[in-house]
Amino acid sequence: MLKHLSPTGSPIKLFELVSWFYSALSGSGDRAKLQNMVKRLLNREYSFLYSTGRGAMTELLSAVKALHGKHGERNEVILPAYTCYSVASSAINAGLKIRLCDIDPQTLSYDLQKLREIDFSRVAAIVSANLYGLPNDLGALERVAMEHGVLLIDDAAQSLNSKIDGRHVGTYGYAGILSLDKGKNVTSMQGGLIVTNDSELAEYLDKASEQLSDLSSKSKFIEFVKVFVYFLFLNPYAYKIPANISFSGLGETRFETEVEVKAYPEFLSSLAIAQFDRVELITESRVSRGEFYEQTLNPGSGVSKIAKLESTEPVYLRYPILVHDGDLRSDLLTQYRQYGISASYPEPLNLLSEIEAHLVTREACPGAERVAREIVTLPTHAFVTDNDAKRICEIVNKL
Ligand SMILES: *Cc1c(COP(=O)(O)O)cnc(C)c1O
């Protein structure tokens, strides 16, 4: 195959690149406009922009600790044992202890029975995951949070524009998080947001925002160059190059201990604004790919699909499956890499040595461990053609 599909990533259009370039040079970025678009889309009263999603999460968890931590009495946050590593970094950077809860490998949502068994006496908040554009059981999480007098943080970094009963993911509970990083639904290379309807939180974040420093000139320059690199190399006829020298890191995560909370660089905003303008089209294209996999995949007993929860409208940032046999899985991942068939986070959080010291208890999380071992994701982005999708289904159905 001549092409090499990336595992994830929304393409930037040429006209968007050109108009972004002019607006960046003329200094006509518009953070306020971007914030307003997000508020309108998610129907929230307040939105706050940061340089990254993990920065937004760190700021939000710091606010939770300051406003609802009862002076240190409640200094724990519950995280799903399988989620993006930067959620754990954010919790640590906000000065919170982490209590992990296992997930259900059939839905990738919290194992609700295990969640209900947790000792909530020192817990301040629960964080959702909504990985790959699949909404968690957010209604149930909201109820558990309410019963125990803790806050729900709805992490929609991978689920922008996915919904449950018409309600956007990211709007459940106390506040939501969005990411504009590479490989997310809408990207401006980096960026993150907090969305909320809580006026006390908004006042706190407003004050804290005044203290945010800008990215250094060097980092801004690097981001500037990255826009062009991303534009050029996400194309399947060019992605071979970065994929083979493995510098892109698209769809991969390494654990980073330090999280910087900085201001969102204004010169990137027009890129994000252009994509929010066509967010429904971006969503539709991913959804149609995801639904095609959902209907066409008919795998044998060696592969399972993830069950879609009732009333949810996933956006399928990637399409996850579980491949039970380890050897079969590694063959699939090496032989068909050029189809954008890819692994995901290689470890559950309970086995990450970097966060060990910050865990309240150390327990096995068999559901999350199994997902880390077995997960494979299929690409859904706009560069995946009908033929690619058909071929990918054939490959998986043959396993
Ligand atoms: C990407 C991601 C984040 C963090 O966003 P960044 O912008 O990459 O810092 C948080 N949570 C989840 C689930 C993510 O996928």
Side-chain angles (χ1 to χ4, degrees), residues 50-57 82-88 90 127-132 155-159 177-184 189-193 253 259 317 345:
Y50 302 89
S51 63
T52 61
R54 52 200 180 279
M57 184 66 95
Y82 195 73
T83 191
C84 179
Y85 299 170
S86 29
V87 179
S90 301
V127 182
S128 64
N130 308 302
L131 296 184
Y132 318 115
D155 184 347
Q158 297 194 16
S159 285
I177 291 286
L178 300 178
S179 166
L180 305 176
D181 207 66
K182 302 166 290 296
K184 309 292 166 114
M189 294 311 104
Q190 57 168 251
L193 292 113
T253 315
V259 177
L317 184 65
Y345 313 114

Side-chain angles (χ1 to χ4, degrees), residues 12-33:
I12 294 171
K13 298 196 179 236
L14 179 62
F15 78 90
E16 287 171 351
L17 182 80
V18 172
S19 78
W20 163 76
F21 182 69
Y22 279 105
S23 89
L25 287 190
S26 61
S28 62
D30 196 342
R31 279 190 279 236
K33 182 172 179 192

Side-chain angles (χ1 to χ4, degrees), residues 157-219:
Q158 297 194 16
S159 285
L160 174 69
N161 221 14
S162 61
K163 294 168 195 157
I164 304 177
D165 274 327
R167 177 171 166 194
H168 275 95
V169 170
T171 67
Y172 282 77
Y174 181 61
I177 291 286
L178 300 178
S179 166
L180 305 176
D181 207 66
K182 302 166 290 296
K184 309 292 166 114
N185 249 329
V186 160
T187 182
S188 57
M189 294 311 104
Q190 57 168 251
L193 292 113
I194 301 174
V195 290
T196 187
N197 272 354
D198 189 285
S199 56
E200 182 200 27
L201 172 63
E203 198 180 314
Y204 179 95
L205 295 174
D206 232 351
K207 262 202 210 104
S209 287
E210 289 164 18
Q211 317 284 319
L212 293 180
S213 57
D214 282 329
L215 294 186
S216 66
S217 308
K218 187 180 153 203
S219 310

Side-chain angles (χ1 to χ4, degrees), residues 176-387:
I177 291 286
L178 300 178
S179 166
L180 305 176
D181 207 66
K182 302 166 290 296
K184 309 292 166 114
N185 249 329
V186 160
T187 182
S188 57
M189 294 311 104
Q190 57 168 251
L193 292 113
I194 301 174
V195 290
T196 187
N197 272 354
D198 189 285
S199 56
E200 182 200 27
L201 172 63
E203 198 180 314
Y204 179 95
L205 295 174
D206 232 351
K207 262 202 210 104
S209 287
E210 289 164 18
Q211 317 284 319
L212 293 180
S213 57
D214 282 329
L215 294 186
S216 66
S217 308
K218 187 180 153 203
S219 310
K220 282 187 192 164
F221 177 73
I222 292 172
E223 289 311 305
F224 192 83
V225 174
K226 269 194 197 162
V227 176
F228 292 96
V229 174
Y230 182 88
F231 172 78
L232 289 172
F233 287 111
L234 195 65
N235 189 297
Y237 290 100
Y239 189 72
K240 242 190 175 87
I241 305 164
N244 288 334
I245 55 178
S246 78
F247 89 134
S248 75
L250 259 190
E252 290 169 23
T253 315
R254 272 161 294 138
F255 187 88
E256 285 173 44
T257 318
E258 282 290 316
V259 177
E260 282 187 336
V261 184
K262 298 214 159 188
Y264 176 77
E266 188 132 43
F267 77 95
L268 290 174
S269 59
S270 68
L271 209 51
I273 288 168
Q275 287 172 67
F276 272 106
D277 261 333
R278 60 179 176 97
V279 69
E280 297 306 334
L281 291 172
I282 294 174
T283 307
E284 269 169 42
S285 129
R286 283 185 190 283
V287 168
S288 70
R289 222 26 107 227
E291 285 177 351
F292 177 79
Y293 289 134
E294 186 77 10
Q295 282 152 20
T296 317
L297 285 179
N298 185 14
S301 58
V303 177
S304 332
K305 296 198 251 183
I306 304 300
K308 183 169 93 78
L309 291 169
E310 208 181 314
S311 310
T312 60
E313 300 168 48
V315 291
Y316 298 111
L317 184 65
R318 300 154 79 154
Y319 186 92
I321 55 173
L322 299 180
V323 180
H324 311 316
D325 182 84
D327 292 335
L328 210 59
R329 178 176 178 268
S330 38
D331 285 351
L332 177 69
L333 291 174
T334 46
Q335 265 183 339
Y336 297 106
R337 219 165 59 98
Q338 71 271 32
Y339 285 96
I341 297 177
S342 163
S344 186
Y345 313 114
E347 300 282 2
L349 296 182
N350 60 307
L351 297 182
L352 269 191
S353 55
E354 291 93 335
I355 71 168
E356 218 177 297
H358 303 274
L359 295 179
V360 182
T361 60
R362 286 200 62 201
E363 281 164 46
C365 296
E369 287 164 33
R370 177 170 164 211
V371 170
R373 229 174 21 241
E374 299 188 357
I375 194 157
V376 169
T377 68
L378 314 178
T380 59
H381 53 78
F383 283 124
V384 181
T385 65
D386 290 350
N387 274 335

